[in-house]
Amino acid sequence: MTVDLEGPEPLYEQIAAILAARISDGTYAPRRRVPSEAGICEEFEVSRPTARAALQLLVQRGLIVTVRGKGSFVVEQPPAG
């Protein structure tokens, strides 16, 4: 999956959707780290605020939890739906 720079959806929402799909399909297993802000910046060629917003959206959706000084991790039981 790639981001659509010309599409109407904000980049951070597109990135969050890609990361959520990876969580759903098991690419990022429960209790395991997801890419850092820097990793997201590199992979998707976006700014750090965009990467931060994508991760924050996943936190709000209950898919990941951020541990200060350690990174962001997939929750044990992602919410249904």
Side-chain angles (χ1 to χ4, degrees):
M1 294 177 140
T2 60
V3 293
D4 180 7
L5 297 175
E6 302 300 319
E9 301 87 11
L11 288 176
Y12 75 93
E13 287 182 5
Q14 294 179 52
I15 293 168
I18 292 168
L19 296 176
R22 291 177 183 173
I23 290 169
S24 179
D25 73 14
T27 300
Y28 303 136
R31 299 181 46 85
R32 295 294 162 235
R33 192 174 287 138
V34 297
S36 65
E37 289 177 9
I40 291 170
C41 291
E42 185 176 317
E43 179 179 351
F44 296 102
E45 298 179 356
V46 295
S47 67
R48 192 169 284 257
T50 300
R52 187 174 297 128
L55 290 173
Q56 188 59 41
L57 189 56
L58 293 177
V59 168
Q60 290 170 1
R61 292 180 179 168
L63 295 175
I64 65 171
V65 61
T66 300
V67 179
R68 187 178 181 125
K70 294 204 116 197
S72 297
F73 298 83
V74 178
V75 296
E76 185 104 31
Q77 293 273 3

